[in-house]
Amino acid sequence: MDNLSREILEVDVLFVGAGPASLAGSIHLNRLLRSEGIDASIAIIEKASEVGAHSLSGAVIDPKTLIELFPETNIEDFPFEFPVNKEYMYYLSKGMKFSVPFIPKPMSHHGCFITSIGKITRWMGEICEKEGIDIFSGFPGSELLYNDSGNTVIGVRTVDRGIDKSGNKKSDFEAGVDIHAKATLLGEGSRGNLTKILIDKFNLMKDKNPQNWAIGVKELWQLPEEKLTPGFVAHTLGFPLGHSLFGGGWIYTMKNNILDLGVVIGLDYKNPGIDPHHELQLLKTHPWIKKLLEGAEILAYGSKSLPEGGLYSIPKLYVDGAMLIGDSAGFLNGQRLKGIHLAMKSGMLAAESLQEAFNKNDFSEKSLSTYEEKFKKSWAYE
């Protein structure tokens, strides 16, 4: 039993995680409520030291949701790197590459843009702050808060600070804050701690397919000169993963001669010795990749888990007082290799459901269930 004296912060809506889903959802909700003259406080907590710090750079994004969210913004004013101009799919053997003559339509990236997710989230974070949405960076959520009966989410407790590795309080101990909200939206990425707790407590995966997971490992390289044309996108099959591992590699070009290089591997591999990071290092031994990286300098690296189960692995999206958005809910289309636009759309759909909840002053499961109805009527579901 927690008997610490904790500060309580009251807000109307709390988003957990300052990723694309939460940022889009909070902006859309703020504008919807403002248009109806509803004065509501909206807050976002983010575990990283700043917005975008945990958003690994480099992706190809479908601009559809951003155009919907910011209809007043011209496409060239979004912080994209390049439009996709050259697109290839290669089969790699250990020493050669073979161009696949036909790219399946779902995997075609024309009309999409190479972008830095870090830049996109920082840009959206600045818009949030201009519009009066509070962002608290450096505040991870440690546990969900419930009402006395335990069946309604009423907010989130932030992590205690000043704890040693044995769990004992140090001299600089500071108790976390209890943030109370009428509605809490979990957009903390795939396999988020609070999301797992919520899904287990309310059995949100009942009658759903199990989620399938993959991991993406990525490096950013500073090239000494332009070696690929701006807007170049390539995806690879074969080496080094072979035919028994689900996944493949990718290469994107960004501004200032920066190259994105990475692999995605499904986590259903049978060989326990498989190391996704090692597979990326093997990819760099391919003669084509090796030549691209001659004289280059590595800038950053990282990894991210991906929910690739698809439509039938999306959990129930709502309970009393809480909703799931973005990767936390599995909004990723593995066939298109796309999830960012779906994550943002999920945040916007949740916001539209919350607008109705504010009008009724009802944040119960029944009221928030319109979120799933809106999803099934949207282009995202199709």
Side-chain angles (χ1 to χ4, degrees):
M1 182 72 179
D2 188 291
N3 56 4
L4 292 174
S5 177
R6 295 181 182 274
E7 180 183 349
I8 295 176
L9 174 64
E10 300 277 356
V11 299
D12 290 303
V13 180
L14 175 64
F15 288 82
V16 180
S22 293
L23 295 168
S26 61
I27 292 168
H28 193 48
L29 177 61
N30 191 49
R31 293 177 176 182
L32 289 173
L33 296 180
R34 206 167 52 192
S35 70
E36 295 194 348
I38 298 174
D39 185 20
S41 56
I42 302 171
I44 304 171
I45 59 171
E46 164 59 31
K47 65 183 177 182
S49 58
E50 62 177 2
V51 175
H54 284 185
S55 298
L56 192 59
S57 182
V60 176
I61 187 172
D62 186 328
K64 187 171 186 174
T65 313
L66 282 170
I67 293 169
E68 281 186 10
L69 182 58
F70 302 108
E72 72 284 357
T73 303
N74 295 322
I75 196 80
E76 59 270 16
D77 293 328
F78 291 118
F80 296 144
E81 299 290 304
F82 298 114
V84 176
N85 295 318
K86 299 286 186 180
E87 185 175 11
Y88 301 93
M89 186 178 292
Y90 294 114
Y91 180 86
L92 302 182
S93 67
K94 194 168 185 178
M96 300 180 68
K97 70 177 169 65
F98 305 89
S99 182
V100 176
F102 171 73
I103 296 177
K105 186 177 179 180
M107 291 191 68
S108 174
H109 294 80
H110 276 70
C112 298
F113 291 81
I114 301 169
T115 187
S116 160
I117 302 305
K119 284 184 184 177
I120 284 282
T121 51
R122 288 185 180 95
W123 179 76
M124 293 174 70
E126 290 172 4
I127 292 172
C128 285
E129 292 177 343
K130 286 177 185 175
E131 298 196 4
I133 298 164
D134 293 313
I135 300 178
F136 302 106
S137 296
F139 285 89
S142 65
E143 58 184 288
L144 293 168
L145 303 174
Y146 306 96
N147 65 354
D148 291 340
S149 60
N151 56 15
T152 299
V153 177
I154 61 168
V156 168
R157 175 170 294 163
T158 64
V159 70
D160 294 336
R161 301 172 186 273
I163 302 287
D164 67 21
K165 63 183 180 181
S166 301
N168 301 313
K169 298 176 189 175
K170 298 193 292 185
S171 58
D172 60 347
F173 173 80
E174 182 181 339
V177 177
D178 284 355
I179 306 177
H180 290 181
K182 296 173 182 175
T184 301
L185 289 85
L186 301 183
E188 51 177 355
S190 59
R191 294 291 285 166
N193 292 337
L194 302 183
T195 301
K196 288 188 287 186
I197 292 168
L198 191 77
I199 287 174
D200 289 344
K201 179 177 174 66
F202 294 99
N203 197 21
L204 301 184
M205 289 302 290
K206 182 182 178 184
D207 300 326
K208 308 288 186 177
N209 285 355
Q211 187 59 265
N212 293 331
W213 304 99
I215 188 166
V217 185
K218 180 184 297 184
E219 294 179 351
L220 270 65
W221 286 82
Q222 177 67 64
L223 302 184
E225 59 191 14
E226 183 180 295
K227 296 188 177 182
L228 296 169
T229 57
F232 176 95
V233 168
H235 289 91
T236 69
L237 304 167
F239 179 82
L241 304 185
H243 302 151
S244 60
L245 291 177
F246 172 75
W250 75 84
I251 295 173
Y252 309 146
T253 55
M254 298 175 70
K255 291 178 181 176
N256 304 317
N257 294 330
I258 292 175
L259 187 77
D260 287 350
L261 174 68
V263 295
V264 167
I265 300 178
L267 294 180
D268 58 349
Y269 48 77
K270 297 186 173 101
N271 179 357
I274 293 296
D275 177 353
H277 182 262
H278 179 65
E279 297 301 315
L280 176 57
Q281 306 318 305
L282 289 176
L283 177 63
K284 292 189 294 185
T285 67
H286 190 277
W288 175 51
I289 308 292
K290 196 172 180 180
K291 187 172 183 180
L292 286 176
L293 297 180
E294 279 181 359
E297 179 184 355
I298 192 165
L299 298 176
Y301 62 92
S303 62
K304 181 187 183 302
S305 59
L306 302 167
E308 295 200 334
L311 181 63
Y312 299 110
S313 296
I314 292 177
K316 182 181 172 185
L317 297 171
Y318 53 90
V319 299
D320 286 327
M323 307 159 93
L324 297 175
I325 58 176
D327 272 359
S328 290
F331 280 95
L332 183 144
N333 185 339
Q335 189 178 30
R336 286 195 67 199
L337 311 177
K338 294 279 176 297
I340 300 163
H341 71 301
L342 291 173
M344 290 191 288
K345 182 64 174 177
S346 71
M348 292 175 67
L349 292 169
E352 290 164 15
S353 181
L354 280 174
Q355 177 193 22
E356 297 174 0
F358 270 96
N359 286 326
K360 297 181 290 187
N361 193 28
D362 180 3
F363 299 89
S364 66
E365 178 178 317
K366 182 178 179 182
S367 176
L368 299 182
S369 68
T370 59
Y371 171 31
E372 196 156 313
E373 295 168 12
K374 292 177 185 297
F375 167 51
K376 289 184 176 178
K377 292 177 182 176
S378 72
W379 57 257
Y381 183 86
E382 292 178 12

